[in-house]
Each structure stands twice: as C-alpha cells, then as structure tokens.
Amino acid sequence: MADEQYQGQACQRLTLPCGDTVLVAQQGAHVLSWVSQGRERLFLSPDNLWDGKSAIRGGVPVCFPQFNQRGTLPKHGFARNMNWTVGEAAASGDAAHIDFTLSTNPDTLAIWKQAFVAVLRVALAPGHLTVTLTVNNTEAQNELHFSGALHTYLAVDDIDLTELRGLGGRPEWDAVADVHGLADEALYFDGEFDRVYSWGESASSNPLHLQDGTSTLQIEQSPSWVNSVVWNPGEGKCAALADMPAHGFARMLCVEAAQVFDPISIPAGGQWVGWQRLTVS
C-alpha cells in the first residue's frame, strides 16, 4: 500500500506484482481507478471539483444510506461526501485488500439519527476487483433501514459500440419513460438510459457481461443487493451536468449493484454484507 495525493485528495494505492493497481480516495472510500492488464477499467470525470466535499463523479461512489432522492437525506446519502478512516492493507500471495471505515459521528448524527459502522473493503487480485460494503447496526434496540448502491462507472471506448448481456427476462423499470417490462437479453445504448432491474435471490449466479470492442468485463453482485441499475446520461443530459465533459457520456456506462425500491433492514446488533465483483475476461 502507498499513500498518494490525487487532485489534492488523500488516497491509498494497492499495486500487485502483475501490475494491476487500484487507487482509493479517503473521501467516500471512493475507488478512483482500477488498471488491469494495462487498461483503465473505470471512468472518472476530468471535470470534478476536487474540493473534498462535493461528490466525485466516476469510479465507484458508495451510495449510503439512501439511493438517489428516495428519502429525506441528501441525494445518494452522505457516505460519498465524508472522509473514511483508512485501515491497514493486507497482502496474500498475488492479491491484496484494504478496508475503510465510516461510523457514527456528529456529522452523521446531524443528518441521520442512527448508530452504525460501515466498512468498505477494496480487494484486488489479477484481473479482479471486488468491492464489499459491510453495514453494522450498533443500536441497542432499533432496526437500521437503508438503501444504496455501489454506483460503478465503467470505462468504454464508445458507448455506441457497447452492449451489456445477462439481464434478459428480468423485471425492468425504465425510469426515463416510467414504464415497466422485461429486459432484453442484450442492452444497447442510444440516448439517455436509466433502468432498474430486479433479481430476487439469483443475482450471484447470473453474471453480466459488458462487451466493449474487443474487451469483455464480467460483472457479478451478491444476492443481498436485489437490484442492478444501468445508467448512461446520453448527450443531452450529459451536457447539463457541470461535473461532466460534454462527450463524457460516450466513454462510460454505470452498472450498479443496488437496493432501490425496498430498504434493507438490519436488526439491532446485526450486520449486512453486499459486494460487486468485476473480472476482466
């Protein structure tokens, strides 16, 4: 593990003997970069403010304890805007991981009257990146309720030549048109795309495959996340985003492990674990 500054932000970098690396900012425990087989696999907007407070667009934002604006908290919760505590990195063979922790403090209590400890583990192995969120309810009596996502921005060479497979037949809500249906086996992207897919209990046994030119990325998630979200702002909406370049939409696709509609409940003293794994095929 190495301490590093990126755009003025305190970060930690893990590097494997094979050359794969991951860079994580303390703000939000936010994965900013994952390089595998010599290629950057995540999209990070060059137009971020990097002021240490504003949400970072790109990489892997941790949306917790609220998804989007589905509640009374700030959009996508507060975890992505706060500094997490860095733990010790650990290496085993050709793999390594590092943990970041966010727990109840005066800033969180000012927004959310809930006692909790959240841990984000970023685990790197050759050709693999696994991001795991663990939420502990440290209340003595009360349940903890939350929604959220690992809001992963994947880098693509050209969104017009990108396809995503593996969601065929899943219940699909198209948030742009506000219509419900079933997903096609292959998804293509022409204009704004914002859809939520429901898995039930079968997510972990149904990996998705993102085809991007000659490169294929496999995307898996734990069944504890019951939704996947696929998002691209399209040209029109992208132009209205102050922290995105005008043609940034053409170089990214979000494929998120998420909990959108029904909050997760953790009993007093209980724990919840959810992960997303990316594998270079």
Side-chain angles (χ1 to χ4, degrees):
M1 181 181 78
D3 294 340
E4 190 170 317
Q5 291 280 318
Y6 181 82
Q7 299 286 357
Q9 305 301 307
C11 299
Q12 305 294 324
R13 183 181 294 277
L14 297 178
T15 303
L16 300 184
C18 69
D20 285 13
T21 72
V22 64
L23 182 68
V24 190
Q26 279 185 248
Q27 180 190 331
H30 195 126
V31 179
L32 302 178
S33 168
W34 170 43
V35 175
S36 183
Q37 299 181 7
R39 176 180 172 177
E40 177 58 66
R41 304 289 171 170
L42 301 177
F43 171 87
L44 184 65
S45 175
D47 292 354
N48 279 300
L49 288 178
W50 301 112
D51 59 4
K53 300 174 183 177
S54 302
I56 300 167
R57 186 175 296 280
V60 186
V62 178
C63 302
F64 172 85
Q66 178 179 292
F67 183 83
N68 207 333
Q69 294 169 302
R70 291 175 169 268
T72 59
L73 299 177
K75 184 178 180 180
H76 284 319
F78 51 74
R80 62 181 184 157
N81 302 90
M82 293 184 173
N83 278 342
W84 293 50
T85 301
V86 183
E88 292 295 322
S92 176
D94 59 357
H97 70 261
I98 184 171
D99 292 344
F100 295 78
T101 302
L102 180 68
S103 56
T104 314
N105 62 63
D107 290 333
T108 68
L109 287 171
I111 304 170
W112 195 43
K113 304 298 184 184
Q114 174 70 52
F116 73 96
V117 176
V119 179
L120 192 83
R121 172 165 291 187
V122 179
L124 188 65
H128 301 267
L129 176 69
T130 305
V131 180
T132 304
L133 177 65
T134 300
V135 181
N136 298 282
N137 180 1
T138 55
E139 294 277 355
Q141 295 181 323
N142 299 324
E143 284 192 341
L144 183 154
H145 304 282
F146 76 97
S147 60
L150 300 173
H151 196 309
T152 306
Y153 286 71
L154 300 170
V156 301
D157 286 336
D158 185 346
I159 193 65
D160 289 337
L161 303 177
T162 297
E163 69 173 36
L164 182 68
R165 292 185 173 270
L167 287 162
R170 292 288 150 195
E172 173 189 78
W173 175 53
D174 182 338
V176 178
D178 192 18
V179 295
H180 292 266
L182 297 178
D184 294 332
E185 175 52 36
L187 303 181
Y188 302 96
F189 310 97
D190 179 16
E192 184 181 358
F193 194 102
D194 188 358
R195 301 183 188 180
V196 181
Y197 301 89
S198 298
W199 282 106
E201 296 299 319
S202 59
S204 60
S205 60
N206 289 271
L208 309 183
H209 293 91
L210 181 70
Q211 185 73 39
D212 167 35
T214 59
S215 176
T216 302
L217 193 69
Q218 180 174 282
I219 306 161
E220 301 167 271
Q221 67 185 58
S222 62
S224 48
W225 297 109
V226 302
N227 301 121
S228 293
V229 178
V230 181
W231 179 71
N232 182 283
E235 185 172 11
K237 189 164 187 176
C238 186
L241 297 173
D243 56 359
M244 276 280 274
H247 294 284
F249 74 95
R251 305 301 301 275
M252 54 73 62
L253 181 70
C254 284
V255 182
E256 311 166 35
Q259 192 80 18
V260 176
F261 303 116
D262 300 312
I264 293 163
S265 296
I266 307 175
Q271 182 184 84
W272 174 92
V273 180
W275 52 263
Q276 184 187 56
R277 180 179 299 118
L278 309 175
T279 302
V280 179
S281 300

